[in-house]
Structures are given as structure tokens and as C-alpha cells.
Amino acid sequence: MTENQVGILDGTTFMVCDRTGDIVPSSDTAHGLFAHDTRLLSKWELRINGERLSTLSIDDVHYFENRFYLVPGGQDVYVNSTLAVQRIHNLQTGLHEDLIITNNDRQPVDLTVRVEVDADFADIFEVKDAVVRKKGRHYRRVDDGRLVLGYQRERFRRETIVSASVPAVVDEDGLTLEVHIDPHSRWSAHLSALPDLPLPQGLDRLTIPGRANRTGRDKHRDLLEWLDQAPRLECDWEPLRITYRQSLIDLAALRFSPFLARDKSVPAAGLPWFMSLFGRDSILTSFQALPFAPELAATTLRVLAFRQGSRVDDFREEEPGRILHEMRYGEMTVFEDTPHSPYFGSADATPLFLVLLDEYERWTGNADLVRTVEQEARSAIDWIDGYADVTGTGYISYQRRNTRNGLENQCWKDSWDAISFRDGRLPSFPRATCELQGYAYDAKVRTARLARTFWDDPEYADRLEREAADLKQRFNRDFWIADGEYIALALDGDGRQVDALSSNMGHLLWSGILEEPKAEAVVRHLMSPALFSGWGIRTLAEGEARYNPIGYHVGTVWPFDNSFIAWGMRNYGFADEAAQVTAGILDAAAFYDGRLPEAFAGSPRTETRYPVNYPTACSPQAWSAGASLLLLRTMLGLRPVGDDLVTRPALPPNLDFVGLLDIPGRWGRLDAYGRGRAAIDGQGLHPAPPQLSAPRREGR
């Protein structure tokens, strides 16, 4: 979202408006009230005596509530407004607006309050592409003092019902309220725009996730409980406290309850474009949040296992054992204009599913879940060995089968130009990006542990370990660019090394596939001026032909990307470098008031005193909210070992003390502390020796 937009959200229902609280029709903004991938309000404009309002201030009370303080027309230095207007937006299934007007004059006033309303019922993909072409029928009617806006196309119907708590003249374009306010008095009304979203018959694929119709007080209580259940942070740097709290709040905001577990939550990917279930995003966010909110991982694993691919479907790119990429509920999905019911075009979600399953058990000790999804886990391995090996070389590769509107790139950098040679040429398909092979290696090593420990199948475990060892050996041979001493971004369809220098190779550090000498060279490149901007590691190195510091995957800095790279650096023993990356990202977070966006520009820190915005970044975004959590784990060196939690602190130079209290896990709850000791050259830290975390303190 841009600085001129304001958003609130509750599960998969969200609203984006301007700074007056209005939804203003425009082809270049995402304004609207949305639920389940449909825009239910495309216009919601307040006028008093024919004038729009001017904003004095905005209070972001909660993620589900905003308060706007306004005056009619404008306020100037010669004539002060005697009217003060307050708009309180709250999401409870739909939009609820409390409108309060205060007359600060000595004379009574008579006002005409008008709310102009419209609903185009655009699919979220139509809004994103700024092209709305409806094939159904719009209708509107006044029904018992309410305005009903509707849209129907065959079995697909959506309605928005608009009403007021006080007498109003309702017409097909909105509501008019005639208001009299005595001197130094106030007037108030409650306005609502509530959705009616019947499920199209026969579409069992599109079971719509639910969200209980909770009051603002219920949601506030739920947020306080969510924050109270998370570990408490103690540190000597206030921006980190702010970032930590904001990250937890953003994760709470992005939760929604899927069809499978209405009292449990999974994270939606991000506002405004990705308020739905995503395989990769939900998995990685749940991974980041494991020491803080482990229940996200449990629900994510169950939901994705339930929706695992079971057949070959070229349109949806579904295959047996494959984990979904994205699930949608809008008109375009219902009528198969898009394949998202669900769409499986992701090459990394499947191995990452296995990585999360193992990591979840290591933290929580929940062996029941590991046993419950055994068949789904085995099917995921089968997909890696079979359908994912498009070239027959033993590497995960991708080439879209839905050539109409499937994703060309099916790794996390899924924009069309994200994978390229150094000279800017785009490689042929199938493409085997380097991080996919790391994920596959990690998945097999971890699944082998699950098979041996919980499934009583040591032969299967031995097989997976042999395959992982073979993959590691081949990978370090085939992807290594000897003359540059770094890992190729990918192998193309002809087996050629795609030689662009990118952040993808940083993910190999947390997967563990790199041989030690190569890991050292990779870290050296990641921390070079070409890739490390000072704020973070760029997605593509400065100097590459397609490098653009404000290009989506070709030069921007992604906080989530950096969090996993920093964690991987710690795993290979590069504590100083991990601390430097952590410091850059957390410094950037301070400029964003603790809310890290999806991405920001890769401009050098030497040229800017602040991180430069990426113009259309999602905010809040789940794995950006999770980035600070994984960086905290990285700083403290938290690692579950059996029933113990081990810590090996290595703090950034501007931090002397960090403590996490009541970390949940198989050990109950433990505290972990870290103290920094700056290195002699001022560039890094001497890590403390590993130690067990302290037992839970009493009196929480």
C-alpha cells in the first residue's frame, strides 16, 4: 500500500481507503472493501453539505479499526471550522462505521450528510490488473430502508447490504441524512455495509474459510491473549521492542480460520493482494514464528496436507503429492478464468512442507502430527523424486503446463524476469534454481529422521539419507561457478549454468547443502557491495544486466529473504556476518515504525539515510512480519536439541542485551539471554559459547 492509503483487516476481509476514510473509485488504486477475493464496495464517499472532508489526524487503534478526525471542506488560518467529524471504521464480517459530528459553535446547525455508495464486485485479480470486465448482471434496489447492491453470474452471487441506524433517505446511489445539531452538542449514527456471500452450489473445491462474527471487544481480547502467549522481549534498544510487538500484531491481523479448523488459524500472505492461503508463504511464515506462535505451523501443516495434490491437472498444475501454491474464492476462480481453486504452480512448497514438519516436531515434540501426516509426507517425497524431476537429472525443475495463465517462474522469485543470465538473457525451460535443490536436500535429511524416529521405517530413512548425500555431491559440482567462486542461480533446460549473482544462493546456507569451503565463498559474495546494500542483501547484484534497485525481484531487498540468509549464516558459523545483516534489516524496520514491508529498494545505504520504498509493497506482509522473529532467533542462536533449548548469542553491535522470556516448546517454557561483545575491529561480534536456556521463571 502507498502512504496515501489506509487499511484495516480481519482475516480475509479487508478494507483499503484514502486518508479521509473514503473509498474513491480509481483504476490505479486498490481502494475497496474486500471479502473472499471480491470487492464488495468500490465507492464509499462521505460529504457534508456537498463537500468532502479534510483530514486532521488518523488513529490506527487496532488492525481491525481506524479512527479518522476530520473537518468539512478545509481548515485555514483565518476561518476555523466549528464542526469536528470523527469516523470510526471497524471490520466485523463487513464494514461498520460510527459517524460522530460535533458542533462547537454557539449556534445550531442543519446539515445534509450524504454517503455515496457503489459496488463493482470486481475479482481481486481484476483489481490488481486494473481491468474490470464483468460478464454477469449488476443490480441494486431499495429494500425496507436498506440499499442492496448485487451481482449475479449464473450460480455465482454476491450482495452488499447498506443501512443506517438513524432515519435516512435511501436511493440507489446511497444514503442521505438530514441532521440538526444544537450548540456545543454532538450527533452520531452507525452505518454498515455487510456482505452476503452464498457459496456456489457444487463447488466443493471452493469451501470458503470462516471467521466468527466477533465484536471489536472480542477481537481486542483475542489480540491481548495472542500477545500474552508470545515470549516477552527484554532488550536495550527500543526500536527492537517496537518492531517485535508490531510483528506479533501484524501476524495476528493476517490470521484467518480455514475450512478445516475454524477455531485455528493460518497466516494469509499480505495486504492487499495476497489475503488468502499460500503454500510457500504460509510455510515460511510459520517456520519463522515457531518459537513464538507454534500453533500457526500446526494448522498450516494440517490444511496443506488436506489440500495436497491427488491427480494430474494441467490447468491447475496439480500433481499427486504436490503442495498447493495459492487458493482463491473469487468469480474468476469459480468460472476457471484463473486456476486458483487451488493452483499448484510452486516448485518449492512441497519440500518446504517437509522441512516445516520436521522443524515443528523439533520445537514442540508433537509426534502425533508427524504420524497423522505420514502418508502426505511420503507423497511429497514421491513428488520430489518423480514429477519434480522434469529433466531426469535428479534436480527439482519447473516448466509451467498451464501456458495461458500459469506462473512462468515457480520459485519464490516468481516474476517473469526474476531468473536471468548475467547479461540479461532469460534461460530456457525447464529451470532448476539453486535454492530448490537445497530445499530438496534438507527435506530428505529431515524426513529421514522422521521415518527412523516416528514411522519405524529405517530402510526408508537410509534410502533418503543416501539420496540426500548424492544430491549434495552432484549439486556442489554442477552448480559451482569456479571462475567466480559462487553458486549458479539455476541450470537451464540445456543444463547450462545461469550465472547471475543473486540472493538465492543464500538459502543454501540454511538448507545445509553447501560444502564448507563453498559456503565461505558464498558468504563473501553475499556481504560484498554488489549484493549487500547496507540495509540488507539485494535479490540481484548491482552490476548484473537486469539489476534495478526498485525491481520486484531484480534488486530490491526482501526482509524475509534476509532473515533466512542470516539464519543460514549462523548455521555455518558466520556469526559476524549474520549480525551485520540482522542490524541492517532491524535498522530499516525502525524507519518503518516496526512494520517491515514486503520489500524496499536496493539503493546503497551510503546514498540514503533511510530505506527507499518499493512503490507497491504489501504491508503488512506475513513473512516480513516473521522476519524480525527469525532474526531474534538468529541473534540468540536458538536451537532445539532433544528436550533442551540451546542458545549461542551473537548480537549486532548496537545491542548489548537481548532476552526472550517464556519461549514455548517441548521443554515447557524457557528463557534465553544474550549479551553482545563488540569485536576489536568494530565490524562484528565474538559469539558466546553455547549454553542451555534458563528454566521458566515463576510469576509470569
Side-chain angles (χ1 to χ4, degrees), residues 8-10 12-16 32-35 91 124 271-272 275:
I8 51 176
L9 62 159
D10 182 36
T12 55
T13 299
F14 64 95
M15 178 178 174
V16 179
L33 172 68
F34 296 82
L91 292 185
I124 189 69
L271 186 73
M275 295 302 297

Side-chain angles (χ1 to χ4, degrees), residues 229-469:
Q229 290 168 4
R232 292 202 314 275
L233 173 68
E234 292 184 356
C235 69
D236 60 346
W237 192 49
E238 186 61 23
L240 179 57
R241 295 179 188 270
I242 295 171
T243 297
Y244 177 62
R245 179 177 174 82
Q246 188 62 56
S247 296
L248 292 175
I249 291 172
D250 287 346
L251 285 179
L254 290 165
R255 293 172 302 161
F256 71 97
S257 301
F259 54 88
L260 190 63
R262 293 186 179 274
D263 60 338
K264 303 294 183 181
S265 299
V266 297
L271 186 73
W273 305 122
F274 307 120
M275 295 302 297
S276 192
L277 177 66
F278 280 74
R280 175 194 307 122
D281 299 60
S282 297
I283 289 170
L284 292 178
T285 301
S286 298
F287 191 105
Q288 292 168 319
L290 262 173
F292 306 87
E295 67 274 13
L296 288 179
T299 311
T300 294
L301 288 164
R302 289 191 180 97
V303 169
L304 293 178
F306 182 77
R307 284 292 187 186
Q308 187 176 37
S310 60
R311 61 182 180 176
V312 174
D313 181 334
D314 287 350
F315 178 62
R316 295 176 179 84
E317 305 208 44
E318 179 180 359
E319 292 159 338
R322 195 173 197 181
I323 297 298
L324 68 83
H325 169 60
E326 180 180 358
M327 191 162 185
R328 295 289 188 172
Y329 306 95
E331 177 186 2
M332 295 181 68
T333 299
V334 169
F335 291 97
E336 298 193 348
D337 296 315
T338 64
H340 298 87
S341 59
Y343 176 58
F344 288 82
S346 164
D348 51 9
T350 306
L352 289 173
F353 171 85
L354 297 167
V355 171
L356 178 62
L357 179 63
D358 174 74
E359 191 74 4
Y360 172 75
E361 191 285 326
R362 289 175 185 266
W363 277 91
T364 67
N366 186 348
D368 289 342
L369 179 58
V370 173
R371 295 187 179 99
T372 298
V373 300
E374 176 184 351
Q375 292 308 312
E376 289 84 354
R378 289 175 181 267
S379 294
I381 289 290
D382 291 343
W383 181 84
I384 292 171
D385 291 339
Y387 291 100
D389 186 7
V390 180
T391 60
T393 59
Y395 294 127
I396 293 183
S397 301
Y398 59 81
Q399 181 172 9
R400 65 174 179 173
R401 301 201 312 279
N402 176 349
T403 56
R404 176 162 64 94
N405 50 15
L407 289 170
E408 287 191 32
N409 281 314
Q410 298 186 358
C411 54
W412 86 258
K413 294 178 182 176
D414 56 9
S415 52
W416 68 275
D417 61 344
I419 309 301
S420 67
F421 289 95
R422 299 199 74 170
D423 60 9
R425 290 177 297 118
L426 298 180
S428 61
F429 290 97
R431 295 173 182 171
T433 59
C434 62
E435 80 283 359
L436 292 176
Q437 319 318 317
Y439 300 159
Y441 168 81
D442 199 15
K444 290 197 171 184
V445 171
R446 290 172 178 269
T447 306
R449 185 186 81 89
L450 300 180
R452 181 171 285 111
T453 307
F454 303 105
W455 302 339
D456 192 26
D457 195 342
E459 292 183 5
Y460 187 56
D462 290 344
R463 192 200 98 189
L464 292 178
E465 287 171 344
R466 287 194 304 271
E467 292 173 354

Side-chain angles (χ1 to χ4, degrees), residues 547-602:
Y547 170 73
N548 176 1
I550 52 173
Y552 195 52
H553 289 131
V554 290
T556 49
V557 173
W558 287 59
F560 112 85
D561 190 27
N562 279 256
S563 73
F564 277 98
I565 292 172
W567 183 56
M569 288 176 173
R570 285 303 314 269
N571 289 346
Y572 271 85
F574 296 96
D576 292 359
E577 291 81 358
Q580 194 173 350
V581 173
T582 297
I585 294 296
L586 293 180
D587 283 349
F591 283 92
Y592 289 107
D593 297 323
R595 174 178 284 173
L596 284 163
E598 177 184 23
F600 52 85

Side-chain angles (χ1 to χ4, degrees), residues 139-303:
Y139 58 89
R140 58 183 65 207
R141 67 179 183 272
V142 177
D143 183 1
D144 193 25
R146 305 178 306 166
L147 173 59
V148 179
L149 305 172
Y151 174 79
Q152 182 149 11
R153 179 183 170 193
E154 299 175 22
R155 62 197 184 279
F156 181 87
R157 179 173 65 84
R158 296 287 184 263
E159 287 186 348
T160 305
I161 302 169
V162 179
S163 62
S165 65
V166 298
V169 177
V170 182
D171 57 54
E172 292 189 351
D173 295 316
L175 292 75
T176 302
L177 302 92
E178 298 297 340
V179 177
H180 175 85
I181 311 177
D182 289 328
H184 298 290
S185 299
R186 65 170 48 187
W187 168 93
S188 64
H190 181 81
L191 310 175
S192 63
L194 305 180
D196 182 13
L197 307 173
L199 180 67
Q201 292 183 352
L203 294 180
D204 59 332
R205 282 177 165 270
L206 295 176
T207 305
I208 292 179
R211 186 83 178 206
N213 184 14
R214 300 170 299 154
T215 65
R217 181 175 298 178
D218 291 335
K219 286 183 281 190
H220 180 58
R221 187 186 305 114
D222 175 69
L223 175 59
L224 292 178
E225 291 175 356
W226 168 265
L227 294 173
D228 186 61
Q229 290 168 4
R232 292 202 314 275
L233 173 68
E234 292 184 356
C235 69
D236 60 346
W237 192 49
E238 186 61 23
L240 179 57
R241 295 179 188 270
I242 295 171
T243 297
Y244 177 62
R245 179 177 174 82
Q246 188 62 56
S247 296
L248 292 175
I249 291 172
D250 287 346
L251 285 179
L254 290 165
R255 293 172 302 161
F256 71 97
S257 301
F259 54 88
L260 190 63
R262 293 186 179 274
D263 60 338
K264 303 294 183 181
S265 299
V266 297
L271 186 73
W273 305 122
F274 307 120
M275 295 302 297
S276 192
L277 177 66
F278 280 74
R280 175 194 307 122
D281 299 60
S282 297
I283 289 170
L284 292 178
T285 301
S286 298
F287 191 105
Q288 292 168 319
L290 262 173
F292 306 87
E295 67 274 13
L296 288 179
T299 311
T300 294
L301 288 164
R302 289 191 180 97
V303 169

Side-chain angles (χ1 to χ4, degrees), residues 504-519:
N504 294 56
M505 62 184 175
H507 288 238
L508 305 172
L509 296 167
W510 69 274
S511 69
I513 196 173
L514 279 179
E515 297 168 348
E516 294 286 344
K518 292 182 172 63

